[in-house]
Amino acid sequence: MRVGFVQNNPVFASVQENLNRIEYLLKGQSADLFVLPELFATGYQFKDMEESRSLAELVPEGVTTSMLTALANKTNSYIIAGLAEIEENQVYNSAVVTGPSGYIGKYRKLHLFDTEKACFQEGNLPLQVFDIAGAKVGVMICFDWRFPETARTLSLMGADLIAHPSSLVLTHCPQAMITRSLENRVFSVTADRVGMENRVEGETLHFMGQSQVIDPNGNILVRASMTDEEVHVVELDLSLARNKFLNPHNHIFNDRRTDLYH
Ligand code: ACM
């Protein structure tokens, strides 16, 4: 399987411009699956729920999901990307899954970070694993990394790969995702953004790039810079993620002592 990420630098609220930029960055690229960052088309730093609601879109009818679906069709690839979603006047920090034949599904971020709690509702959908180009793909968003139960649950559900749209501001995440991959023997694709937003007095956010693909042995297959817009595609051997044995005596799931865990 060929999987890639786009690391972009969105301009806050310039949705059409940011969508055009993704199309430009993907010109000439090919992969079975591309992962894009969290809130890749709106930017990240909303001031309140009113502002996030003003930029939130219906899924799949909205302009962002429609454009992604058209792009997935044109490039014959699957795309997983983060966006602000509205449903019945509730706003969610979501990710959509689209493919060559159309819209497939969505995930709503379970663990909201810091001031996101004032801008979004908590995710209320079950964790889900999607069938994508022969792979089982789980989706989680950014700060979900800090709750290992998220990646573990997706992995126990059979995920070979975790797609992880992000807008990273906490420096430990790229290293922590190595552990998430290692402890579950899954691939992970973190698609982060670069740049800075200072829309709230005294709360400048620096996004740290370093989008990456990690293999089930914890190896960094590719890691992008901290500063530039970049696209990378790598080839994955999914059989690595389907073998949960570390050696003939240790199976990463069967050896868990669920009789003693809380
Ligand atoms: C984050 O969850 N965007 C830090």
Side-chain angles (χ1 to χ4, degrees):
M1 179 187 199
R2 282 164 53 78
V3 64
F5 60 75
V6 181
Q7 174 168 293
N8 72 335
N9 185 3
V11 178
F12 190 87
S14 297
V15 172
Q16 194 56 55
E17 181 185 337
N18 295 328
L19 293 177
N20 293 345
R21 184 75 183 157
I22 294 296
E23 193 154 17
Y24 171 80
L25 288 168
L26 281 179
K27 269 207 176 77
Q29 300 280 353
S30 78
D32 296 302
L33 167 67
F34 285 106
V35 185
L36 275 53
E38 176 186 21
L39 298 167
F40 80 97
T42 54
Y44 177 78
Q45 197 178 30
F46 294 99
K47 291 181 175 159
D48 51 31
M49 194 78 78
E50 197 179 321
E51 193 176 56
S52 61
R53 188 173 287 120
S54 74
L55 284 166
E57 299 181 18
L58 291 171
V59 172
E61 298 85 356
V63 64
T64 298
T65 310
S66 300
M67 176 275 187
L68 291 171
T69 301
L71 192 58
N73 180 268
K74 192 165 129 187
T75 56
N76 196 31
S77 60
Y78 291 79
I79 301 177
I80 296 177
L83 82 177
E85 180 204 358
I86 190 160
E87 187 188 70
E88 291 177 354
N89 214 33
Q90 305 290 304
V91 187
Y92 302 94
N93 185 340
S94 298
V96 292
V97 182
T98 66
S101 304
Y103 168 76
I104 295 168
K106 65 189 169 191
Y107 165 72
R108 292 173 173 162
K109 188 176 186 177
L110 294 184
H111 305 96
L112 297 175
F113 176 64
D114 200 359
T115 55
E116 286 177 29
K117 292 194 176 190
C119 305
F120 299 102
Q121 304 292 327
E122 270 184 349
N124 56 0
L125 300 176
L127 288 160
Q128 200 179 334
V129 170
F130 297 90
D131 289 305
I132 288 181
K136 299 276 185 198
V137 178
V139 183
M140 62 185 215
I141 298 179
C142 206
F143 189 54
D144 286 330
W145 72 265
R146 196 65 192 258
F147 300 83
E149 294 88 347
T150 318
R152 176 68 100 194
T153 301
L154 291 169
S155 303
L156 288 172
M157 290 171 75
D160 303 309
L161 183 158
I162 292 176
H164 183 215
S166 297
S167 290
L168 293 178
V169 293
L170 297 177
T171 53
H172 289 100
C173 178
Q175 295 305 102
M177 284 306 294
I178 295 175
T179 305
R180 296 292 92 82
S181 276
L182 194 62
E183 66 200 1
N184 293 298
R185 286 196 56 81
V186 292
F187 290 94
S188 62
V189 183
T190 298
D192 191 20
R193 55 162 296 180
V194 292
M196 186 257 276
E197 287 181 5
N198 57 355
R199 306 191 60 258
V200 179
E201 179 83 27
E203 288 181 33
T204 302
L205 296 178
H206 295 276
F207 300 98
M208 45 188 289
Q210 300 177 78
S211 299
Q212 61 183 15
V213 182
I214 307 296
D215 81 7
N217 292 317
N219 298 306
I220 303 170
L221 300 184
V222 62
R223 180 179 278 175
S225 73
M226 295 181 74
T227 50
D228 296 342
E229 292 191 310
E230 293 179 37
V231 178
H232 291 276
V233 177
V234 295
E235 179 93 33
L236 309 182
D237 174 3
L238 293 176
S239 69
L240 272 182
R242 291 173 182 172
N243 176 11
K244 301 300 184 187
F245 282 98
L246 300 182
N247 57 53
H249 306 290
N250 291 115
H251 185 283
I252 205 85
F253 289 162
N254 297 347
D255 283 3
R256 291 175 309 130
R257 292 297 307 273
T258 51
D259 53 332
L260 294 175
Y261 298 160
H262 292 286

